[in-house]
Amino acid sequence: MTTATKIFATGWDGPGVGKKKKHGAFRWRNVVWALIYPRREQHMVPTVSGVLLIGLSLGIGMAAYNSSNNILFITLALMLACLILSGVLAWFNFSKVRWQIARPALARVGQSTAVALELVNGKTFLPTYGLDCVMRARPGVKDEVMRAETTLTGKGMDVKAIWKVKPDEEVAHLRLSSRLDPQDSVILDWEWVPKKRGRWNLGLRHVASFFPFGFFNKRLSAVLEREVIVWPAAREYQWAASTGAKWLSGASNISRTGQGSDLLALRRYEPGDSHRLIHWKASARTRQLLVRQFSAEATESFSLWVQSKEAGWAKAEQFEVLVSFAATLAEDLFRAGRLASVRIDDEVPKPIRHWRDLESWLDTLAVLEMEKFNADAIPRDALRTNRNLITFVPEGQAGVVAMIDGEKAATA
Amino acid sequence: MVKKRPQLDLDDLYRLKWLLGGLLILLSVSTVLYLEIDAWLLMGLTTLGVSLVMVKPSLPSRIPKLFHTLAFPGIVAIFLGDLYLTAEVLPALVRLDILLILYRGITYRQRRDDLQLIVLGLFLIVLAGVLTVSLLFAVQILAFSACALSFMLAVTLVQGAESETTKANETPGWVHRSRPGLWRRVRAATDARIALLGVGLFGGLVVLSGLLFMAIPRVELQNSLFLERFMTKQARTGFSDRIQFGDVTNIQQDNSVAVSIDVTDPSRIPAQPYWRMVVLDEYRDETFRLSKRLRRESFARERTAANLRGQARARLGAQDYWTFYMESGVSRYLPLAGHFEMLRFRDRQHFRVAESLGVVALRDDPVSMTAYRVEGMQVLAELADPGFREVLKESRANEEEISQLELGVSEGDRQIVEQAVREIVGGASLAPGDFAQRASDWLAQRHVYGLESEIPKGAGDPLVRWLVSTEPGHCELFAGALVLLARAEGIPARVVTGFRGGSWNGFSDNYTLRNSDAHAWCELYDVESGLWLRADPTPGSAVLNQETTLLSAVDTREVDRSWTARFDSLRIFWYRRIVNFDQRSQVETIKAVKEATQNTGERLRAWLDDWGNRVKAWVSQPWDVERLIRSIAGMLFVIVASWVGVILMRKIKRGAWRQRGGRLHPVRIEAGRWLRRFANHSIEGELRNDLERLRYGEERSWPKAELVFRTARKTWRQVRRSKSPSLR
């Protein structure tokens, strides 16, 4: 993959991003039309001073025509020339500027997440001033089809509704308060605090500027969105006094695989295993790659199972508690090295060996939705047959209890 | 590593905005200097106040809050009081505008206050321009535009940088945090190239405004602007229908331009032209005036029109046009050299015409420059008035004394004058022309010309006292004296005031009359011919000023090439090309552009033909070895020089880029260009890899760029020759 492809893959957008020329696309009528009618993604909204200038020009123009007074014609010509100059300088200001969003590494409900917007001025010697970048975070819809709309093509849509901020959306203004020199870049940070878990689309809604004279607010719409999966909020929970301590201490010594130093067994190589674990002699003998398997440090591991199809999860708030409790507990267990596998509903249990395995599972958990009662769900009694299995049941109106092998272990 | 230019912080931007706002105010109120509205005190206060707060921005914080509360009610009260006392709307509005500007200038402003300031300033400047049509307006509107645009830019930069706005009437924080050395920081933060670009863009703005001004379609609605109704202006000069001794002398001391005249045929202007404005027939109480009877009988009813047909008959052949640009404050009477066929105003005007007197009078003294064009003007020393013969006959029959024969002095003074007449004529009966000559000679013997004259003290009429003295005198005294002498002899006579002479501006090719050319002379009526004969008794003038002087006009006219004439030529350009630019001018401009383009095209074609013929002639000359060698050497030199030039330019460009440390290295640009060219062609070998490395790779990993590009050129030639999408 060439560097060019890499650049586009990270999502640069803006007037400074080179676009492929269409074959035979240059036509003078296109150039003239572009001067008169703005392109689809550009909007020019007059400000108070712009409306004042336009109003003054109209007034002076009418007086000039009525009186054939050349002084008024001169003034009118000067005002119109100022409007044109304003447009030219605004075009220069945006010229060869590009931007991209760096997706945050981690996003969790209630925690501040830094979303970085990088602006680059690709011009040779002209600086750029006064950019106002409007960032937007909106809940994402799975398999949503993004379709560009303009105020003219929106069928039956209220024009104002296009620009109106929806209730779920969050909007932030990132202002370029200082000069952006030519061939320079700047990173603007947005401290976003997600309010809900799930899929979110983080994007740049538009970039606007009042430069140079504040007559017009020139907006360039940006097609730059990144999907971010927001994990559930961290949830405080308490281990039950009687059983919790027992499971926490892990009294029984069990020969289980882990990160210990005692060789437990040899097994076949699986993708993801460290190369240092390969037992070369055994592999040469058996003509297949074998890795060493060490015993755990005398601690027990747990499997975690989240069931969303149970009838008990009738309330949305309680379901949220379930999700956040499960996520927090899984993380805590992983950090303690005691998380063996995770499971949601009828899925095959996924072993958790690395952080990315947990991340993937947390992503799935983040988008988990509460479903209606499913009569085919596995009855709870069947769970008792699995060892060190953590399940979750509702308690009361809003509480959730974590059960280990059917015994109450922790409460959130 | 390229050193970054420092940036101005928010406080510096605030300070810059404050200073630009102050400069805008000073520019706006300077219109009072030539607007001639009584607002000097306010202008002085505003200039002083704003200058102080520009230097010390913390001063407005000391203004008590009560002042702000009472400011607007106070301003409104002052305006209403001003309106009530002066009864003039426009001057009161101007003073109100200045008061508002003063208030905004000495208080801390928010964004909407900044906009208000610009609108108030623009109002003053545009109003001054409309009322005065002065060239100063052009300078001022350009300076104001530059300042206002810089101000708006500063406001926008501040708006982008500030995180919260200050509340109204609160002292902003930057006031107390100002650091010295603002201009040093501004200079350090400014890139010279961008400053030059800014100047260039402003120049482009001016050019664009000019083009828009010429291109905006004109419609001849011929409605006058209503503003002059709200303002009265007294003429600065003495050209009114009532003149007292000494007034003309005041005018002659003023060397400013009064009238500028464009004439299609300069030879039509005599060597010593007389431009008639006011006729004063009655002398009473030491004052010459236009009598009520003459005003009633000679002046037609007031009309409102843009055109006026005159007494002169249309002539066949080429028409000559005289375009007069009369400055404001001269007079409401239009200077004319004689009868005319047609007079056209720039705008519709209210005027009255006295055809028998050859006088056109506007209703009011114009507040701005008045332009009018006269067609078919007759430049003659006499004015035909056959109707007066009948008036004279009738008055003699009824034994009435008409104003043109009435002396208007006491009996004693009458005898003095009659004694003087007897001395002049010596008992003979002279024709009016001869009498005028003799009387002028008699006056010249007794009096010399002088701008300062002292009338001897004593009883009786001052003019008579001067007549019999030997004191020096100015044109008014000479003219008045001749009128009295002529009347005493029984010849109807009257004083005429206007301009005499003028100078030819060598830069703008127009005739200029200055206020110092103001003059008074006489007209004596010849009953036999029915003509009013011009008689100028002032020493240094040809008394009767016959037409023979017309022939020497072109040679003897005074050509003015002084610096004053140079500046005046700018004013003429302003009047011709801007103020008087109308639909006809637009059409003429378009025709001129078309002709110029056609001529340029023809000239270019002729040059190319000529060059082609020369080349043909050169080639067809006999060739020898020496000539052949010289030609080949010349061609080789041109090719080598071009090739060296191209390589040098490339090296310089890359060297400059290296110094600036730009990310977009020209090698990368060229590599990117080649990659795009080869995008639809599959090229094998190392070429694509090398091009990609040059485009995207680190500089230290580059192969030799020249070699790669040479290979690319060669490959491209092969591709084009084969015309095949792939090359193996």
Side-chain angles (χ1 to χ4, degrees):
Chain A
M1 190 168 64
T2 63
T3 315
T5 317
K6 278 182 199 164
I7 288 171
F8 284 106
T10 54
W12 285 103
D13 189 35
V17 173
K19 297 205 174 12
K20 263 193 182 172
K21 284 183 187 172
K22 291 181 197 169
H23 180 68
F26 181 78
R27 294 267 190 280
W28 276 111
R29 63 165 186 257
N30 293 343
V31 173
V32 173
W33 183 241
L35 289 173
I36 299 165
Y37 191 76
R39 283 158 44 180
R40 285 173 80 93
E41 63 269 16
Q42 293 184 16
H43 299 266
M44 289 279 269
V45 180
T47 58
V48 171
S49 49
V51 169
L52 192 65
L53 180 67
I54 293 168
L56 269 176
S57 302
L58 282 172
I60 287 178
M62 283 197 293
Y65 269 105
N66 195 41
S67 61
S68 299
N69 190 304
N70 279 325
I71 298 297
L72 296 176
F73 275 119
I74 291 171
T75 311
L76 175 66
L78 207 49
M79 287 171 126
L80 293 176
C82 285
L83 277 173
I84 294 171
L85 179 68
S86 173
V88 167
L89 286 177
W91 180 82
F92 271 126
N93 197 44
F94 274 108
S95 168
K96 294 195 180 175
V97 173
R98 60 183 193 272
W99 43 76
Q100 69 166 351
I101 298 175
R103 188 165 53 179
L106 196 76
R108 192 191 292 272
V109 172
Q111 284 186 6
S112 175
T113 305
V115 181
L117 175 72
E118 187 180 1
L119 296 170
V120 175
N121 181 6
K123 292 193 280 288
T124 314
F125 76 98
L126 286 175
T128 290
Y129 293 95
L131 296 183
D132 180 20
C133 308
V134 178
M135 303 289 289
R136 178 175 66 173
R138 60 187 182 97
V141 175
K142 201 178 173 190
D143 299 330
E144 179 187 2
V145 174
M146 301 297 293
R147 192 167 56 122
E149 286 286 358
T150 69
T151 53
L152 293 180
T153 61
K155 295 175 187 173
M157 290 167 72
D158 184 8
V159 168
K160 285 183 187 172
I162 295 171
W163 290 107
K164 205 175 167 185
V165 176
K166 313 255 183 326
D168 287 343
E169 285 184 6
E170 290 174 48
V171 167
H173 289 259
L174 301 181
R175 280 212 183 116
L176 178 70
S177 57
S178 57
R179 184 182 71 218
L180 180 58
D181 282 325
Q183 304 296 313
D184 199 7
S185 65
V186 70
I187 293 178
L188 305 175
D189 288 317
W190 175 29
E191 295 295 326
W192 175 51
V193 180
K195 292 187 177 52
K196 263 175 31 175
R197 64 176 174 93
R199 281 181 215 282
W200 283 78
N201 285 325
L202 281 186
L204 183 62
R205 197 174 175 192
H206 62 256
V207 180
S209 178
F210 289 104
F211 189 83
F213 307 124
F215 295 145
F216 293 97
N217 185 5
K218 181 167 179 171
R219 283 184 197 161
L220 295 190
S221 298
V223 223
L224 204 61
E225 272 196 339
R226 291 283 166 271
E227 191 186 70
V228 169
I229 294 182
V230 177
W231 292 346
R235 173 76 53 180
E236 283 193 13
Y237 59 91
Q238 281 176 329
W239 289 101
S242 54
T243 50
K246 182 180 99 179
W247 292 115
L248 275 177
S249 66
S252 57
N253 281 328
I254 302 165
S255 291
R256 290 189 177 273
T257 59
Q259 301 298 323
S261 55
D262 298 334
L263 182 66
L264 183 66
L266 292 176
R267 62 170 175 80
R268 275 212 195 127
Y269 172 82
E270 285 170 13
D273 288 340
S274 170
H275 293 175
R276 285 179 297 153
L277 295 175
I278 296 175
H279 196 299
W280 295 107
K281 273 191 181 168
S283 301
R285 238 191 348 265
T286 59
R287 291 182 186 279
Q288 57 185 350
L289 272 179
L290 297 172
V291 295
R292 296 186 189 85
Q293 204 172 18
F294 295 96
S295 62
E297 292 290 340
T299 52
E300 289 183 275
S301 295
F302 297 91
S303 296
L304 204 137
W305 189 6
V306 174
Q307 293 153 300
S308 65
K309 297 177 185 178
E310 284 284 316
W313 306 113
K315 294 198 185 99
E317 294 84 9
Q318 203 169 36
F319 189 78
E320 290 304 311
V321 174
L322 158 72
V323 171
S324 54
F325 186 16
T328 312
L329 190 57
E331 275 188 80
D332 291 344
L333 288 172
F334 179 80
R335 281 201 194 94
R338 299 178 72 179
L339 185 63
S341 65
V342 288
R343 189 180 176 189
I344 295 179
D345 293 324
D346 303 330
E347 289 174 0
V348 172
K350 287 180 190 162
I352 302 294
R353 293 193 195 91
H354 307 282
W355 173 248
R356 61 175 177 270
D357 298 327
L358 182 66
E359 274 183 5
S360 169
W361 184 75
L362 287 173
D363 286 345
T364 314
L365 194 67
V367 300
L368 190 66
E369 288 178 7
M370 190 174 77
E371 295 191 18
K372 289 185 181 168
F373 171 64
N374 184 357
D376 296 331
I378 298 168
R380 210 175 291 171
D381 292 342
L383 303 178
R384 285 188 179 271
T385 58
N386 294 307
R387 196 110 194 264
N388 290 347
L389 180 67
I390 302 175
T391 54
F392 299 89
V393 293
E395 184 183 61
Q397 293 294 317
V400 173
V401 168
M403 312 283 279
I404 301 180
D405 294 341
E407 284 183 54
K408 185 175 174 179
T411 315
Chain B
M1 179 110 172
V2 178
K3 199 177 164 189
K4 278 192 177 182
R5 274 183 299 119
Q7 297 210 22
L8 294 177
D9 59 16
L10 188 57
D11 288 346
D12 285 338
L13 284 174
Y14 274 125
R15 186 76 197 266
L16 200 58
K17 190 186 84 148
W18 180 254
L19 290 171
L20 284 168
L23 188 61
L24 204 67
I25 292 171
L26 294 176
L27 269 173
S28 309
V29 296
S30 64
T31 51
V32 174
L33 288 171
Y34 64 95
L35 195 53
E36 296 189 17
I37 280 178
D38 191 12
W40 298 99
L41 178 64
L42 268 177
M43 184 189 115
L45 267 175
T46 308
T47 308
L48 183 66
V50 169
S51 304
L52 275 174
V53 299
M54 276 169 75
V55 171
K56 286 250 174 216
S58 57
L59 281 178
S61 62
R62 297 186 194 175
I63 297 175
K65 285 213 170 105
L66 187 63
F67 175 83
H68 296 291
T69 315
L70 297 176
F72 280 108
I75 289 171
V76 170
I78 292 171
F79 168 66
L80 291 173
D82 185 9
L83 200 60
Y84 176 74
L85 289 171
T86 60
E88 282 188 332
V89 176
L90 211 54
L93 274 176
V94 168
R95 285 188 281 268
L96 169 68
D97 192 284
I98 297 175
L99 265 178
L100 289 169
I101 287 178
L102 171 62
Y103 177 71
R104 284 287 167 233
I106 59 170
T107 51
Y108 298 116
R109 295 184 293 272
Q110 296 182 306
R111 185 176 163 81
R112 63 160 188 221
D113 303 327
D114 293 327
L115 296 178
Q116 206 181 65
L117 196 61
I118 293 175
V119 172
L120 290 171
L122 189 64
F123 171 77
L124 269 185
I125 291 180
V126 172
L127 185 72
V130 165
L131 289 179
T132 64
V133 201
S134 164
L135 179 60
L136 269 177
F137 163 77
V139 175
Q140 223 174 13
I141 191 80
L142 286 179
F144 183 85
S145 303
C147 195
L149 289 175
S150 308
F151 181 57
M152 292 295 294
L153 180 62
V155 167
T156 308
L157 291 177
V158 161
Q159 190 187 6
E162 67 184 358
S163 49
E164 52 181 27
T165 52
T166 323
K167 285 186 189 160
N169 297 329
E170 261 186 23
T171 305
W174 66 269
V175 165
H176 300 297
R177 289 194 297 263
S178 292
R179 300 175 285 148
L182 172 69
W183 295 114
R184 196 183 58 242
R185 289 194 294 280
V186 168
R187 249 200 329 268
T190 308
D191 188 346
R193 293 174 300 176
I194 293 174
L196 272 174
L197 178 68
V199 170
L201 280 173
F202 187 73
L205 178 87
V206 173
V207 169
L208 181 62
S209 311
L211 292 172
L212 283 172
F213 171 75
M214 285 197 284
I216 292 176
R218 302 290 200 269
V219 176
E220 300 285 345
L221 290 178
Q222 293 189 348
N223 289 328
S224 73
L225 208 56
F226 61 90
L227 293 176
E228 56 267 12
R229 271 186 248 155
F230 297 105
M231 192 168 155
T232 55
K233 190 167 178 177
Q234 292 299 322
R236 289 183 287 109
T237 68
F239 293 120
S240 66
D241 54 4
R242 180 181 296 266
I243 293 179
Q244 288 182 323
F245 287 113
D247 283 359
V248 176
T249 308
N250 292 340
I251 299 164
Q252 289 171 334
Q253 289 164 353
D254 180 4
N255 220 25
S256 57
V257 172
V259 186
S260 302
I261 306 166
D262 271 344
V263 57
T264 49
D265 184 6
S267 64
R268 295 272 298 139
I269 301 180
Q272 194 68 276
Y274 283 77
W275 313 90
R276 303 173 80 256
M277 290 174 70
V278 189
V279 169
L280 308 168
D281 58 313
E282 187 181 58
Y283 182 66
R284 195 157 36 92
D285 301 329
E286 301 166 17
T287 304
F288 285 103
R289 57 173 67 83
L290 179 65
S291 65
K292 285 181 190 167
R293 183 178 173 174
L294 193 65
R295 191 202 304 271
R296 196 174 53 244
E297 289 173 359
S298 301
F299 278 88
R301 289 177 65 179
E302 188 180 277
R303 291 164 52 188
T304 304
N307 301 320
L308 165 64
R309 192 166 289 282
Q311 279 191 316
R313 286 187 190 167
R315 290 176 301 159
L316 294 171
Q319 190 67 280
D320 57 331
Y321 300 106
W322 305 64
T323 308
F324 290 76
Y325 305 101
M326 187 171 70
E327 299 291 333
S328 64
V330 172
S331 176
R332 63 190 184 95
Y333 294 92
L334 304 182
L336 295 162
H339 287 310
F340 51 87
E341 288 172 33
M342 184 69 86
L343 190 148
R344 299 181 199 275
F345 292 103
R346 187 165 55 98
D347 309 312
R348 281 166 66 89
Q349 298 282 350
H350 309 288
F351 58 87
R352 293 180 72 181
V353 180
E355 286 186 351
S356 57
L357 301 179
V359 169
V360 177
L362 302 175
R363 181 202 279 175
D364 301 306
D365 288 314
V367 296
S368 63
M369 186 276 298
T370 304
Y372 55 97
R373 196 171 70 161
V374 181
E375 297 168 18
M377 189 153 65
Q378 294 171 343
V379 182
L380 296 170
E382 307 98 19
L383 194 75
D385 189 5
F388 185 72
R389 203 185 289 157
E390 301 303 319
V391 170
L392 203 58
K393 208 189 279 182
E394 202 179 306
S395 69
R396 279 174 183 160
N398 297 338
E399 289 182 5
E400 283 174 1
E401 201 165 41
I402 53 173
S403 56
Q404 288 89 338
L405 281 170
E406 191 184 343
L407 276 176
V409 297
S410 63
E411 188 55 39
D413 287 334
R414 176 188 284 275
Q415 285 175 9
I416 294 170
V417 175
E418 283 170 355
Q419 170 63 32
V421 168
R422 281 194 290 276
E423 212 176 299
I424 290 167
V425 302
S429 174
L430 298 172
D434 296 330
F435 177 83
Q437 187 66 60
R438 278 209 199 174
S440 299
D441 292 340
W442 183 86
L443 285 169
Q445 280 166 11
R446 299 175 75 85
H447 307 279
V448 293
Y449 180 79
L451 282 175
E452 291 175 11
S453 64
E454 203 174 309
I455 295 176
K457 292 188 178 20
D461 189 87
L463 187 56
V464 175
R465 288 203 308 273
W466 179 82
L467 179 73
V468 297
S469 72
T470 53
E471 293 292 329
H474 45 69
C475 57
E476 183 187 301
L477 289 165
F478 280 97
L482 182 59
V483 164
L484 288 184
L485 290 169
R487 287 177 182 180
E489 177 60 4
I491 300 170
R494 59 194 185 189
V495 170
V496 178
T497 57
F499 290 97
R500 179 190 67 166
S503 59
W504 190 263
N505 189 313
F507 298 102
S508 53
D509 278 338
N510 72 285
Y511 208 73
T512 305
L513 302 178
R514 299 183 184 278
N515 284 309
S516 54
D517 294 324
H519 194 55
W521 60 95
C522 310
E523 283 181 346
L524 276 60
Y525 192 71
D526 185 359
V527 178
E528 283 182 21
S529 59
L531 298 170
W532 286 96
L533 305 175
R534 182 191 304 142
D536 188 356
T538 308
S541 312
V543 175
L544 290 172
N545 207 297
Q546 298 301 315
E547 289 172 32
T548 50
T549 55
L550 197 72
L551 299 173
S552 57
V554 174
D555 296 327
T556 62
R557 68 182 175 211
E558 183 191 333
V559 179
D560 192 354
R561 290 192 185 274
S562 61
W563 278 101
T564 315
R566 209 182 283 262
F567 288 127
D568 289 338
S569 68
L570 278 175
R571 186 193 287 113
I572 292 302
F573 175 83
W574 167 251
Y575 289 151
R576 277 179 191 158
R577 300 286 173 227
I578 310 291
V579 175
N580 253 25
F581 191 83
D582 54 8
Q583 207 173 39
R584 188 174 47 87
S585 310
Q586 216 169 26
V587 170
E588 281 171 8
T589 306
I590 292 169
K591 278 186 187 162
V593 168
K594 185 183 158 194
E595 276 170 24
T597 313
Q598 281 173 342
N599 289 345
T600 307
E602 281 166 10
R603 273 203 298 270
L604 187 65
R605 222 174 293 127
W607 182 79
L608 283 171
D609 286 338
D610 181 50
W611 194 78
N613 291 336
R614 278 194 203 172
V615 169
K616 263 191 231 171
W618 180 78
V619 169
S620 56
Q621 279 174 11
W623 284 86
D624 56 11
V625 173
E626 192 189 328
R627 199 162 168 241
L628 187 67
I629 290 170
R630 264 193 282 129
S631 308
I632 292 170
M635 276 191 286
L636 276 173
F637 175 75
V638 168
I639 292 167
V640 166
S642 311
W643 179 68
V644 166
V646 165
I647 291 182
L648 270 174
M649 284 304 297
R650 272 195 203 154
K651 281 196 188 300
I652 289 168
K653 214 168 146 186
R654 284 178 201 165
W657 273 107
R658 216 170 280 126
Q659 282 172 16
R660 266 179 276 165
R663 208 184 287 177
L664 293 174
H665 200 286
V667 167
R668 292 189 195 276
I669 295 171
E670 196 168 339
R673 217 178 282 142
W674 281 112
L675 280 171
R676 280 196 294 277
R677 263 193 198 165
F678 288 122
N680 293 331
H681 306 273
S682 64
I683 45 169
E684 295 200 0
E686 289 297 310
L687 179 59
R688 190 180 286 279
N689 290 341
D690 288 342
L691 285 172
E692 284 180 355
R693 190 179 288 282
L694 287 175
R695 174 64 182 91
Y696 304 113
E698 287 190 12
E699 212 169 312
R700 59 183 171 200
S701 68
W702 283 356
K704 282 210 166 161
E706 282 302 330
L707 288 172
V708 174
F709 293 142
R710 200 184 299 163
T711 312
R713 280 194 288 275
K714 201 167 141 188
T715 310
W716 184 246
R717 277 199 294 273
Q718 287 173 347
V719 165
R720 286 178 70 183
R721 247 183 266 131
S722 66
K723 288 183 187 170
S724 142
S726 73
L727 177 74
R728 292 196 178 274

